[in-house]
Amino acid sequence: MKKKCYLYTRVSTAAQIEGYSLEAQAEKLRGYAACRELEIAGEYCDAGKSSKSIKGRPAFQQMLDDIVSEEDGISFVLVFKLSRFGRNAADVLKSMQLLTDYGVDLVCVEDAIDSSTQGGRLTMAILSGVAEIEKENITVQFLSGKMQKLGEGGWPGGPIPYGYRNINKKLVIEPGEAEIVKLIYNLYVQDGMMVNSVVNYLNGHGYKKTVRNEQRPFTFDMVKTILDNPVYCGKILYNRRINDKAGNRKKKDMIAVDGNHEPLVTPKQWDLVRMKREKHKGRSKKAEDPERISLLSGLVKCPKCGSGMIAKKNKSINHNHGGYYKTLYYYGCNNNRKCNGRVCDFNHTYNQEKVDGAVFEIVSGLTMIPVFRERVLHHLGNTDAADRLEAKLKKLRKTIRSEEMKKRKLGEDLDNLDFLDDDYDRDYEKIQGEIDRVYDRIEKAEDEMEGKMKKLSAVKQGIQTADRIAGLLGHMGKLYGHMSCEERRKMYRLFIERIDVYPEHPDGKIIKSIAFRFPVFYGEEEVTEDKAPDDQVMFTLDCGDMELTASEAKATYVQIRKYVLEKFGAKVSSLYIAQVKRKYGLDLGKNYNVSKKTDARVPICPKDKEEFIMDALKHYKMLDADVEMKE
């Protein structure tokens, strides 16, 4: 059976003068196809006065689309010369990559280049190096422009600091905001004033910040950022932070120069603030239980405003026996904090021990829940997975090709700029910036395509990623007890996106739903902590219809007292509840109410109240229903 090929011809005015007319090219290609016994499945032609005057190359694009569709099942693309195939090395390589992905070889008849041979592949490898140099040169030129502007004290780009506006790429003071910045510095250097104190003062005196035309109170983070930003003392920074491939913010080598904008604080004020900030740097370290970390802070979301809930604690003095009651830890809304202006009025808190325990029980039993297996297998083990990946790869190739077309057009626009034009510098920088963004989009698409190809290879090889995830969760119970708080915190953040809780506790339930995001790594290379996953399995588990977990069923003393009072009309003390729980083997922590008097009389819980308390414990499933009263 004969192999099939496409013929592609392109001509400009200069080419016709040299004798490279369309008909001459086509005749040469047809003769070559006949010699190689190739069946011509299609001919494509782009004609124009010059390559720059053609608004795109529609025939070339159509040919690539037909290759992607695989309708004709071709094996070769024949062109007269390599210059007819692409404008520069980068263009040739990108188009060649698409051909390679679809098993199509390029033959340049006049240049004697055949990518199906060893010599042809070597030529393509050399072109690849040339294309890489071209890309690096454009990047270097773009960064050089930024560095030149930075050296001149101009604004290099990015979010505009509060108190300034960006006018003609120069920072100009915004009077109203500038006065607030000065006030923040003046307040902070006063004795007894900390960041929280400054925030409370601003919000208490009616100061507001404008965010997207909306008036909002000041927050701790914003005031801290203002106090730590050297732009307010006249400095301009570049490369302060950068995102790695995993999306994490990392500090890099920072460049600081004197800016040409007007500072809002004096060098003396800046130095005083720096000294105070440095002095109080370690004050937030915990003196009590320093190893303790709130495992799910940020993951648990406020039912009203949706922000992450943070750790709160209640530590109160025991006036009857001296010392302190047991410290209780909670999750509370971050936006309900006084230092954040209380933009959310949801002041309910959730006991950390209950929430942490409930989430652990749900996660450790996740492999037994049908929806888990269904979602994971659908994402990774479905028989249609390979077809879906192929479709995504084709879409990505089209995206890359479209961006390549844009890049070539921008290159032509850059070449056509008039150096003597008054707007040359502005237009050059604008086009250069657009080219840089095109390269960023191409790189992002290429990275995504690389991940999809890894996954496709893994699917074809039958790698059971679902079993790997199930294995991880299956061993969680054994590993959990040997982990530190920090290790547990990291583990949860590895595969939990968010945890939604009920604003009230219906029948004692706390956890409403958990959104999971399991990272997936394909291939056998070593997985490191900062390595971005190749893929993710995402689904949300609705916990509303699930039975109470053991942790959720643990009623507090307040709940037990309330239950007994409402059902039996009797009042029971925490002491009686503790005695009953201890009598029936329920876990009790350290007793913080022990009297220091050795001869102190301890009252014993009466039988009738013991029955009431047992009824409450059974109601909250802390005791089995068939447990009988002990003598």
Side-chain angles (χ1 to χ4, degrees):
M1 183 177 178
K2 284 187 177 182
K3 291 185 177 181
K4 298 180 180 180
C5 69
Y6 284 157
L7 308 186
Y8 177 72
T9 56
R10 182 174 70 83
V11 72
S12 65
T13 303
Q16 292 189 52
I17 293 172
E18 295 169 7
Y20 298 143
S21 66
L22 291 173
E23 187 55 38
Q25 293 181 44
E27 185 179 346
K28 185 86 171 181
L29 298 181
R30 294 188 193 107
Y32 182 88
C35 182
R36 290 279 300 267
E37 296 184 348
L38 300 175
E39 179 184 342
I40 299 174
E43 296 188 18
Y44 303 84
C45 171
D46 278 316
K49 294 180 181 179
S50 68
S51 61
K52 288 186 179 180
S53 68
I54 299 175
K55 300 298 182 181
R57 293 159 67 190
F60 186 79
Q61 294 180 46
Q62 183 61 50
M63 180 182 72
L64 295 182
D65 288 339
D66 291 344
I67 291 173
V68 170
S69 69
E70 299 182 297
E71 291 181 359
D72 297 319
I74 69 162
S75 301
F76 295 93
V77 169
L78 308 185
V79 297
F80 182 64
K81 289 175 66 72
L82 189 59
S83 61
R84 304 299 92 197
F85 187 73
R87 177 179 179 273
N88 54 42
D91 293 334
V92 171
L93 258 296
K94 292 302 178 183
S95 301
M96 267 303 304
Q97 184 61 56
L98 186 142
L99 267 61
T100 302
D101 291 339
Y102 285 88
V104 178
D105 289 306
L106 175 67
V107 177
C108 307
V109 177
E110 188 73 7
D111 297 329
I113 298 175
D114 184 348
S115 66
S116 65
T117 65
Q118 186 174 358
R121 288 192 292 271
L122 176 61
T123 302
M124 294 302 168
I126 295 172
L127 285 172
S128 177
V130 174
E132 187 63 29
I133 292 172
E134 178 190 0
K135 180 179 176 180
E136 290 178 1
N137 285 340
I138 292 176
T139 304
V140 168
Q141 290 171 15
F142 181 69
L143 291 178
S144 296
K146 278 195 172 183
M147 291 300 102
Q148 180 181 357
K149 183 175 294 182
L150 188 66
E152 296 170 354
W155 182 244
I160 308 301
Y162 184 80
Y164 290 99
R165 294 291 183 270
N166 184 7
I167 298 178
N168 296 326
K169 299 183 180 177
K170 182 179 178 181
L171 293 183
V172 178
I173 289 177
E174 201 291 316
E177 294 181 358
E179 288 303 315
I180 296 177
V181 172
K182 293 176 181 178
L183 177 61
I184 289 172
Y185 275 82
N186 289 332
L187 288 172
Y188 186 75
V189 295
Q190 295 177 17
D191 292 338
M193 294 294 285
M194 303 296 292
V195 177
N196 276 339
S197 311
V198 174
V199 177
N200 293 337
Y201 179 92
L202 294 174
N203 293 329
H205 286 76
Y207 290 96
K208 299 287 184 181
K209 60 179 180 178
T210 303
V211 180
R212 291 187 289 273
N213 297 322
E214 181 183 346
Q215 296 291 307
R216 297 184 185 179
F218 283 86
T219 64
F220 177 91
D221 290 336
M222 181 177 183
V223 171
K224 181 169 71 70
T225 299
I226 289 174
L227 291 170
D228 291 339
N229 194 342
V231 75
Y232 296 111
C233 71
K235 299 291 184 182
I236 292 288
L237 301 182
Y238 182 71
N239 209 27
R240 192 176 186 182
R241 292 181 184 87
I242 194 168
N243 287 350
D244 61 14
K245 283 191 175 182
N248 301 315
R249 300 284 279 174
K250 290 189 173 183
K251 289 187 176 181
K252 305 295 282 185
D253 295 333
M254 186 173 64
I255 302 172
V257 299
D258 291 329
N260 54 22
H261 63 284
E262 183 180 345
L264 297 181
V265 300
T266 64
K268 183 178 179 181
Q269 282 180 304
W270 174 256
D271 291 339
L272 287 173
V273 168
R274 297 274 56 74
M275 290 172 59
K276 189 170 182 178
R277 294 284 291 147
E278 193 65 31
K279 179 180 178 181
H280 296 288
K281 202 174 194 179
R283 284 190 59 170
S284 60
K285 292 182 179 178
K286 296 183 289 185
E288 177 190 357
D289 199 2
E291 297 299 319
R292 190 184 189 285
I293 295 175
S294 297
L295 303 181
L296 303 174
S297 58
L299 293 179
V300 181
K301 304 300 180 180
C302 172
K304 186 160 188 180
C305 70
S307 72
M309 304 190 89
I310 61 169
K312 296 185 177 182
K313 69 178 182 179
N314 181 11
K315 183 178 181 182
S316 54
I317 298 175
N318 185 339
H319 294 286
N320 294 328
H321 305 295
Y324 291 89
Y325 289 108
K326 176 184 177 182
T327 302
L328 299 177
Y329 295 91
Y330 301 91
Y331 293 115
C333 179
N334 185 34
N335 287 336
N336 187 250
R337 299 169 69 195
K338 184 179 179 182
C339 67
N340 280 345
R342 296 201 190 281
V343 293
C344 177
D345 59 4
F346 187 78
N347 54 16
H348 183 64
T349 56
Y350 298 81
N351 184 282
Q352 282 195 15
E353 185 178 347
K354 277 194 162 191
V355 175
D356 294 351
V359 170
F360 172 76
E361 290 180 57
I362 292 170
V363 171
S364 57
L366 193 59
T367 55
M368 305 300 293
I369 300 175
V371 67
F372 164 78
R373 199 74 186 177
E374 176 189 333
R375 295 293 177 86
V376 173
L377 288 176
H378 175 76
H379 188 89
L380 298 168
N382 193 289
T383 53
D384 296 329
D387 294 336
R388 292 199 309 271
L389 286 169
E390 291 282 12
K392 288 178 181 178
L393 282 170
K394 289 182 180 181
K395 186 176 180 180
L396 284 169
R397 290 188 186 99
K398 288 184 178 180
T399 299
I400 292 172
R401 181 154 50 84
S402 174
E403 293 297 334
E404 287 293 339
M405 299 294 184
K406 293 178 185 176
K407 178 177 69 82
R408 182 171 62 252
K409 177 63 170 62
L410 288 168
E412 293 174 356
D413 292 343
L414 202 63
D415 293 340
N416 290 330
L417 287 179
D418 185 357
F419 183 76
L420 300 178
D421 194 306
D422 292 340
D423 296 328
Y424 175 81
D425 290 339
R426 184 197 66 186
D427 294 342
Y428 183 90
E429 185 173 344
K430 179 183 178 181
I431 294 174
Q432 197 70 63
E434 291 176 358
I435 290 175
D436 191 64
R437 287 188 288 275
V438 168
Y439 270 119
D440 287 341
R441 291 194 294 271
I442 291 174
E443 184 177 2
K444 181 180 178 181
E446 287 176 338
D447 288 343
E448 187 178 351
M449 192 163 76
E450 182 182 358
K452 292 286 187 291
M453 291 179 74
K454 282 184 180 180
K455 181 176 179 180
L456 180 61
S457 175
V459 169
K460 289 180 176 179
Q461 294 173 21
I463 295 178
Q464 301 300 316
T465 307
D467 292 336
R468 291 182 177 181
I469 295 176
L472 166 70
L473 296 174
H475 288 87
M476 181 176 165
K478 299 176 183 178
L479 299 173
Y480 195 82
H482 301 283
M483 292 180 178
S484 66
C485 284
E486 181 61 31
E487 288 170 336
R488 292 174 183 176
R489 178 184 170 90
K490 286 183 178 179
M491 177 194 67
Y492 279 130
R493 277 157 176 71
L494 182 66
F495 54 78
I496 292 181
E497 182 77 25
R498 63 181 289 135
I499 300 168
D500 288 300
V501 291
Y502 287 104
E504 303 292 339
H505 299 328
D507 300 325
K509 293 189 71 64
I510 300 174
I511 309 299
K512 184 178 182 180
S513 64
I514 302 178
F516 291 97
R517 182 198 64 242
F518 288 98
V520 179
F521 298 91
Y522 299 111
E524 302 300 324
E525 65 270 15
E526 182 181 356
V527 176
T528 58
E529 185 176 342
D530 59 348
K531 177 178 170 58
D534 296 316
D535 198 2
Q536 296 183 108
V537 179
M538 304 176 69
F539 69 94
T540 299
L541 178 67
D542 184 359
C543 305
D545 297 330
M546 296 173 61
E547 292 185 4
L548 283 175
T549 68
S551 293
E552 286 178 317
K554 289 181 181 177
T556 63
Y557 284 66
V558 173
Q559 289 174 305
I560 294 173
R561 287 199 298 269
K562 182 179 179 182
Y563 177 87
V564 172
L565 181 62
E566 291 179 350
K567 183 171 183 179
F568 301 103
K571 293 183 178 180
V572 293
S573 66
S574 296
L575 174 63
Y576 288 168
I577 296 172
Q579 287 178 353
V580 175
K581 289 178 70 175
R582 185 172 284 107
K583 180 176 180 180
Y584 292 93
L586 298 180
D587 182 38
L588 288 174
K590 177 182 176 182
N591 188 352
Y592 288 81
N593 299 312
V594 176
S595 174
K596 293 183 178 179
K597 299 178 182 179
T598 56
D599 58 345
R601 175 182 168 276
V602 179
I604 303 300
C605 179
K607 292 294 182 184
D608 58 339
K609 292 191 175 182
E610 181 177 340
E611 288 183 7
F612 301 157
I613 294 171
M614 285 184 64
D615 188 90
L617 295 176
K618 290 177 181 179
H619 170 77
Y620 287 110
K621 299 183 180 180
M622 299 173 70
L623 275 182
D624 292 335
D626 57 352
V627 174
E628 298 181 355
M629 183 181 290
K630 298 178 182 178
E631 291 296 330

